[in-house]
């Protein structure tokens, strides 16, 4: 590889479309590293249910931002952005183009749009005091301290109202003055993976769910429940919630599998909507037998524009 100017490659798209496999192939071709962009794969011990790359895959090329948090820890988008951007800067300074890979749209947007995110950690005591008030009361308070924010926050949006008040009372600065975007100046090439025939993605989701159960998802959930308690928030996420219902005797395993498939399909639809709004993404068919070759050719062509 010739030295290149700073740049970034993104691989995104709905779940179960093969992002990890393509990323490994591209990382080998470019002799670079993969930075995870998955809000659950950052947590240790949550492996099977998050479709985390296998130990063998993790060993093929350097991976970062995977297995960096304990399950009971809170990891904010602001923290993700800070760590991801630091790694991007490091690899770019080494003359490499890192790959940002995953399906968490907000993580990816925080980097490619340069989102300005208030560095205010959740404040349980303050939040508790605010939650004791009604939504109309909280919204009226927000109108007083940050009227600009209320032009973008619906009067019934309690979550964003409380967050805006929290930021203001901690920093003394309206959240509307702390938000915005400052996109990176370097080029960003975005590859989107999807099944151009929707029924193919449905089949991939069903096959992957069955394999997760065969690979020990039930045992993984049992261990996590015993170690951290069934009320751990991560255990109420996709795949883990349904198996936890099975372990509690609320449903049988077949139903848990069916529900996981259904909920994963619904999640993939939401991801498709999110990424579909980004006109900068170059889409590739996950089912294309020449996927890797076509993606490498597209990237190599783009690279010609930044080689010194």
């Amino acid at each position: 590889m010739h030295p290149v100017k700073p740049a970034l490659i993104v691989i995104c798209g709905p779940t179960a479309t093969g992002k990890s496999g393509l990323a490994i192939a591209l990382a080998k071709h470019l002799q670079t590293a993969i930075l995870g962009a998955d809000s659950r794969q950052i947590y240790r011990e949550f492996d099977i249910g998050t479709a985390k790359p296998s130990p063998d895959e993790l060993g093929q090329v350097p991976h970062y931002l995977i297995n960096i948090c304990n399950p009971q820890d809170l990891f904010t988008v602001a923290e993700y952005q800070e760590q991801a951007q630091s790694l991007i800067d490091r690899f770019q300074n080494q003359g490499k183009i890192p790959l940002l890979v995953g399906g968490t749209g907000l993580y990816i947007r925080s980097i490619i749009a340069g989102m300005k995110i208030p560095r205010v950690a959740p404040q349980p005591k303050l939040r508790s005091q605010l939650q004791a008030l009604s939504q109309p009361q909280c919204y009226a308070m927000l109108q007083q301290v940050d009227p600009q924010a209320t032009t973008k926050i619906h009067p019934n949006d309690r979550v964003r109202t409380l967050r805006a008040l929290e930021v203001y009372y901690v920093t003394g600065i309206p959240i509307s003055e702390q938000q915005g975007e400052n996109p990176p100046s370097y080029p960003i090439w975005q590859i989107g993976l999807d099944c151009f025939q929707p029924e193919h993605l449905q089949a991939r989701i069903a096959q992957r769910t069955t394999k997760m159960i065969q690979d020990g998802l039930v045992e993984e959930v049992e261990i996590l429940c015993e170690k951290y308690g069934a009320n751990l928030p991560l255990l109420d996420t996709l795949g883990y919630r349904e198996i936890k219902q099975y372990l509690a005797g609320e449903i049988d395993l077949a139903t848990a599998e069916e529900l996981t498939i259904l909920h994963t399909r619904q999640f993939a639809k939401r991801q498709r909507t999110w990424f579909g709004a980004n006109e900068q993404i170059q889409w590739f068919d996950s089912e294309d037998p020449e996927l890797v070759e076509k993606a490498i050719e597209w990237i190599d062509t783009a690279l010609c524009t930044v080689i010194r």
Side-chain angles (χ1 to χ4, degrees):
M1 289 295 296
H2 297 288
V4 297
K5 296 177 182 178
L8 177 68
I9 296 170
V10 174
I11 300 178
C12 59
T15 189
T17 50
K19 294 183 291 291
S20 294
L22 177 61
I24 290 173
L26 277 178
K28 288 180 177 178
H29 175 70
L30 298 172
Q31 299 178 27
T32 189
I34 293 172
L35 313 184
D38 187 295
S39 61
R40 297 195 304 169
Q41 291 182 0
I42 60 172
Y43 291 99
R44 303 181 185 97
E45 301 176 67
F46 279 70
D47 302 326
I48 299 172
T50 64
K52 191 176 293 179
S54 67
D56 176 65
E57 290 173 320
L58 292 173
Q60 291 184 40
V61 297
H63 282 72
Y64 296 84
L65 299 177
I66 294 176
N67 293 328
I68 59 172
C69 294
N70 292 321
Q72 66 271 41
D73 292 342
L74 176 67
F75 192 76
T76 66
V77 176
E79 290 175 304
Y80 174 83
Q81 182 190 49
E82 184 175 358
Q83 291 196 28
Q85 193 58 61
S86 176
L87 287 164
I88 290 169
D89 293 343
R90 185 212 300 183
F91 289 113
Q92 289 178 341
N93 289 336
Q94 296 173 359
K96 297 180 179 180
I97 301 178
L99 306 181
L100 188 67
V101 182
T104 300
L106 192 57
Y107 276 13
I108 293 173
R109 181 169 177 77
S110 75
I111 298 300
I112 65 174
M115 291 171 57
K116 297 178 181 178
I117 306 171
R119 263 49 177 182
V120 177
Q123 308 290 315
K125 290 184 180 180
L126 174 60
R127 183 65 66 91
S128 178
Q129 292 173 347
L130 292 172
Q131 287 176 329
L133 304 175
S134 68
Q135 173 60 13
Q137 287 176 305
C138 289
Y139 197 77
M141 292 167 59
L142 184 60
Q143 287 176 315
Q144 291 180 347
V145 302
D146 191 355
Q148 181 62 31
T150 60
T151 65
K152 297 182 179 180
I153 299 176
H154 191 276
N156 296 333
D157 192 336
R158 187 158 179 81
V159 172
R160 294 181 65 195
T161 299
L162 292 176
R163 177 58 178 169
L165 288 172
E166 186 176 53
V167 169
Y168 175 77
Y169 286 121
V170 170
T171 66
I173 303 173
I175 193 172
S176 60
E177 295 181 15
Q178 301 185 54
Q179 293 178 322
E181 296 181 348
N182 183 26
S185 58
Y186 50 76
I188 300 175
W189 299 301
Q190 301 180 62
I191 291 175
L193 277 189
D194 201 352
C195 292
F196 289 0
Q197 298 185 49
E199 64 272 16
H200 289 178
L201 181 58
Q202 295 173 12
R204 290 171 72 115
I205 288 172
Q207 292 166 3
R208 191 178 70 174
T209 302
T210 298
K211 187 174 187 305
M212 284 179 174
I213 293 175
Q214 293 173 345
D215 288 347
L217 179 58
V218 173
E219 291 76 12
E220 180 171 280
V221 177
E222 280 183 310
I223 292 171
L224 291 168
C225 285
E226 182 177 347
K227 186 172 182 179
Y228 298 105
N231 292 327
L232 183 75
L234 273 174
L235 286 169
D236 275 326
T237 62
L238 182 60
Y240 293 93
R241 180 193 309 113
E242 294 82 0
I243 296 300
K244 194 171 68 169
Q245 288 180 277
Y246 160 65
L247 292 173
E250 299 172 7
I251 55 178
D252 59 29
L253 185 56
T255 301
E257 182 174 348
E258 291 173 4
L259 287 174
T260 300
I261 293 170
L262 172 63
H263 296 156
T264 304
R265 288 169 56 181
Q266 293 170 341
F267 175 57
K269 184 178 179 180
R270 293 194 296 271
Q271 288 178 301
R272 183 179 284 122
T273 299
W274 174 287
F275 292 117
N278 184 346
E279 296 180 353
Q280 303 303 312
I281 295 175
Q282 176 68 39
W283 289 96
F284 290 84
D285 187 355
S286 298
E287 299 287 285
D288 188 339
E290 298 180 350
L291 167 64
V292 172
E293 291 79 6
K294 290 181 178 178
I296 287 176
E297 180 182 4
W298 186 74
I299 287 297
D300 283 348
T301 300
L303 273 173
C304 292
T305 66
V306 295
I307 293 179
R308 289 174 181 161

